[in-house]
Amino acid sequence: MSHLASSPSPIANRGVCVVSVTYYIDQSDIRFSLAQQLCRLATQRRIRLIIVDDSPPEIHATLQQEEGLSVKIFRQSKDQYQGKGGALRQAIHLARSLLEHDGDLNRCAICFTEPEKVDFINHVVDIVEPLLKDAADVVVPSRNKALFQDTYPIEQYHSECFANLHFDALAKRHEGFHNVDLDWLFGPFSFKASLTKSWLDYTGNSWDAQMIPYVRGILNDGWRVQTVEINFMHPIEMKHEEEGDCAWTTKRLHQLNVLFELLGEGELA
C-alpha cells in the first residue's frame, strides 16, 4: 500500500519535528520497509524527521540511505541512552536541539510516532495546530473509529479499546482529564518543544516512557491536553501478518500488564 501524499505540507520545515525509534534484525521484516516509507513520505511532505536506530551496522547503513534534507537517522548512543526509552529520549533531545534554531521553543512542536505508522506523517499539520496556536501543551491524536476497526488486527482493536476505557476511567478522577477522552494506546503524541525536560528526566524504558511524562505534566504542572481525531490508515501489511497470530495477542497482553501497573496503578490510580 502506498502512503505517499499528493502534495507537500505547507508547514515545510519550520517549527515542527517528528521523532521515531527503530530496531531491526532482518531487512525482510515488513516494519523495516514501512520505516523506509515513513522516511520517504516525510521527505515528500518536507516535514523534519529524526530517527534513532539501534539496528546492526549493515541494516543501519541501509536505513541511512533514506536520509535527506528533512530526514536524519542517528545511531543510538548506548553509553548515555539505554533501551527503547533511552532511544526516545535521545531523539527528543536531538529534536529540541534542531528546533532551537527555529526560535521560541514554546512555539515549536515535537511529535512522536512509531516508524510503522507511515500515514501519521499525512496528519502532522492537523495534530500540531493546537500547539502552534498555544491552545494546548500536549496533543494526543485519536484514530477515526471506523478506520481503527477496519485497518487494525481485530485482537488489537479490542485490546486497545478496552485499555482506552480503563485509563479514561482512571484519568477522569483528575481535573486535567475531565473534558477529554484519550486514545491512550494509539502511541503517537505531540507536545511543545519547550516541555522536553519531562521526557528527558524520565527513566522508564518501555511504553511508559512515551505516556507517563505527559501524564505527570497534566497532573502536576497543569498542562493543557487536547485530542485531534485523524483519519489514520494502519498498514494493511501489519493486519495481514498479525491478525489471528497468538504471538501477537500474547505481546498485547504483556503491553496491557505493563501499562496497567506503571501508568494505571503508578500514576492515575
Side-chain angles (χ1 to χ4, degrees):
M1 176 184 294
S2 174
H3 298 273
L4 290 180
S6 59
S7 60
S9 164
I11 63 171
N13 283 323
R14 300 294 297 177
V16 177
C17 186
V18 177
V19 300
S20 193
V21 300
T22 54
Y23 170 72
Y24 306 102
I25 59 173
D26 187 346
Q27 291 186 40
S28 67
D29 186 339
I30 61 169
R31 289 155 194 78
F32 180 78
S33 173
L34 291 169
Q36 292 176 305
Q37 291 181 44
L38 183 82
C39 294
R40 293 165 192 170
L41 184 55
T43 296
Q44 186 201 24
R45 282 289 212 171
R46 295 185 294 159
I47 291 175
R48 286 180 290 190
L49 170 66
I50 287 176
I51 291 178
V52 170
D53 177 58
D54 190 32
S55 303
E58 64 277 8
I59 297 178
H60 177 78
T62 302
L63 188 60
Q64 266 196 317
Q65 294 175 14
E66 304 297 337
E67 283 196 329
L69 290 176
S70 298
V71 176
K72 300 299 176 186
I73 300 169
F74 297 85
R75 286 297 263 160
Q76 184 169 351
S77 301
K78 290 188 174 180
D79 56 335
Q80 186 175 359
Y81 300 102
Q82 291 83 38
K84 176 184 176 182
L88 175 61
R89 289 184 282 276
Q90 181 180 349
I92 289 174
H93 173 76
L94 291 166
R96 178 190 170 101
S97 298
L98 179 68
L99 291 171
E100 284 176 343
H101 298 287
D102 289 352
D104 183 4
L105 288 176
N106 202 44
R107 301 290 181 176
C108 296
I110 297 173
C111 305
F112 167 80
T113 185
E114 292 87 350
E116 66 271 13
K117 291 186 168 76
V118 180
D119 186 45
F120 175 84
I121 294 293
N122 289 323
H123 306 285
V124 167
V125 173
D126 293 330
I127 292 167
V128 302
E129 183 177 2
L131 302 171
L132 301 182
K133 291 185 174 180
D134 195 30
D137 301 302
V138 180
V139 172
V140 181
S142 63
R143 294 163 284 194
N144 172 276
K145 289 181 174 57
L147 290 173
F148 180 18
Q149 185 170 9
D150 288 345
T151 64
Y152 274 73
I154 190 63
E155 303 90 347
Q156 185 175 1
Y157 169 75
H158 285 297
S159 69
E160 294 187 357
C161 285
F162 166 69
N164 284 340
L165 290 169
H166 175 73
F167 292 127
D168 269 340
L170 291 174
K172 295 296 185 186
R173 303 173 181 179
H174 304 282
E175 183 177 355
F177 294 96
H178 284 176
N179 299 314
V180 64
D181 296 321
L182 296 185
D183 193 349
W184 299 87
L185 270 286
F186 184 17
F189 60 91
S190 185
F191 59 96
K192 288 185 175 181
S194 57
L195 303 177
T196 55
K197 189 175 187 297
S198 186
W199 279 268
L200 298 180
D201 288 348
Y202 185 73
T203 58
N205 265 327
S206 188
W207 298 281
D208 55 306
Q210 301 166 205
M211 305 160 76
I212 288 179
Y214 71 71
V215 168
R216 289 182 177 176
I218 295 164
L219 293 177
N220 302 327
D221 300 314
W223 291 4
R224 300 160 298 164
V225 60
Q226 282 192 25
T227 185
V228 173
E229 183 179 297
I230 59 174
N231 292 325
F232 175 76
M233 298 283 291
H234 197 59
I236 192 66
E237 304 96 317
M238 295 186 66
K239 180 180 175 76
H240 288 163
E241 180 182 273
E242 298 174 11
E243 196 165 79
D245 188 329
C246 294
W248 282 101
T249 55
T250 301
K251 177 183 177 180
R252 303 204 191 291
L253 179 60
H254 171 66
Q255 180 185 28
L256 294 188
N257 287 333
V258 169
L259 291 175
F260 269 50
E261 177 184 354
L262 297 179
L263 175 61
E265 297 174 16
E267 304 293 329
L268 293 173

